[in-house]
């Protein structure tokens, strides 16, 4: 059986870091991932996917990301359910993150955080053809231009 999920998108809010009773760190967050097509109005819609990351990776993730950060995650889909205080069965589907990558320099990530007030604006601004994010980790330390459309997934 195969259960892998690879996503690239922007955080819709700052990750929420908590600790279990046994002291294990756990962070939850939502990533906005643009769809590959546009709607009838020519706008690109996004899916908002719940994610969870555990232990030291959760602490690192929380320390280095914030709302608007462009990230890549590799993980697996997990489903669970529980009964809330009103006695209703709640079903949850989330991505359990195994690995993550920061996909832009911190300065650019902070620029996006201050320049845009909500995740829909963040996602729409990334899809303009003239909007190129620069990645400093190119050939021989030089800069290369990469847009979301250049990513293979």
């Amino acid at each position: 059986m195969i259960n892998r999920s690879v996503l690239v998108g922007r955080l819709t809010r700052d990750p929420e870091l908590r600790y279990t009773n046994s002291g294990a760190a756990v962070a939850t967050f939502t990533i906005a991932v643009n769809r590959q097509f546009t709607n009838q109005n020519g706008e690109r819609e996004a899916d908002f996917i719940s994610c969870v990351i555990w232990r030291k990776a959760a602490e690192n993730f929380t320390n280095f990301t914030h709302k608007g950060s462009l990230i890549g995650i590799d993980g697996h889909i997990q489903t669970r359910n529980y009964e809330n205080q009103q006695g209703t069965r709640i079903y949850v589907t989330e991505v359990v993150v195994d690995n993550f990558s920061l996909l832009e320099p911190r300065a650019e990530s902070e620029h996006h955080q201050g320049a845009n007030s909500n995740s829909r604006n963040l996602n729409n601004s990334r899809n303009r053809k003239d909007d190129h994010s620069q990645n400093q980790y190119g050939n021989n330390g030089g800069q290369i231009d990469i847009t979301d459309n250049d990513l293979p997934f």
Side-chain angles (χ1 to χ4, degrees):
M1 308 285 172
I2 297 173
N3 181 358
R4 297 301 319 153
S5 181
V6 178
L7 303 170
V8 173
R10 293 198 178 274
L11 292 180
T12 62
R13 58 181 166 80
D14 289 344
E16 182 180 325
L17 181 65
R18 293 174 285 139
Y19 291 88
T20 65
N21 292 336
S22 62
V26 58
T28 56
F29 60 93
T30 301
I31 183 173
V33 179
N34 287 336
R35 293 185 177 169
Q36 295 296 319
F37 54 88
T38 57
N39 64 19
Q40 293 176 341
N41 298 328
E43 299 168 344
R44 193 174 300 268
E45 296 178 358
D47 292 302
F48 298 89
I49 301 168
S50 298
C51 303
V52 61
I53 187 169
W54 290 88
R55 299 176 186 76
K56 186 65 176 171
E59 293 174 327
N60 289 336
F61 186 83
T62 303
N63 288 333
F64 292 106
T65 63
H66 52 79
K67 179 181 177 179
S69 294
L70 180 64
I71 60 164
I73 62 170
D74 173 33
H76 58 277
I77 296 172
Q78 173 180 283
T79 59
R80 59 186 171 88
N81 64 74
Y82 63 92
E83 195 171 299
N84 67 9
Q85 293 176 347
Q86 292 77 28
T88 304
R89 177 81 36 205
I90 304 296
Y91 295 91
V92 179
T93 301
E94 59 198 357
V95 175
V96 179
V97 178
D98 297 320
N99 297 298
F100 71 91
S101 296
L102 307 176
L103 299 179
E104 65 187 352
R106 182 174 218 151
E108 186 170 333
S109 179
E110 289 171 353
H111 169 73
H112 284 288
Q113 180 185 21
N116 297 297
S117 60
N118 65 44
S119 61
R120 185 161 302 275
N121 286 342
L122 284 170
N123 289 319
N124 288 340
S125 70
R126 300 299 303 154
N127 292 320
R128 288 178 288 168
K129 291 184 179 180
D130 61 342
D131 184 16
H132 296 281
S133 62
Q134 291 190 352
N135 184 340
Q136 294 180 357
Y137 309 105
N139 298 334
N140 299 324
Q143 291 186 344
I144 57 174
D145 290 335
I146 297 176
T147 66
D148 290 346
N149 293 334
D150 294 326
L151 298 173
F153 41 86

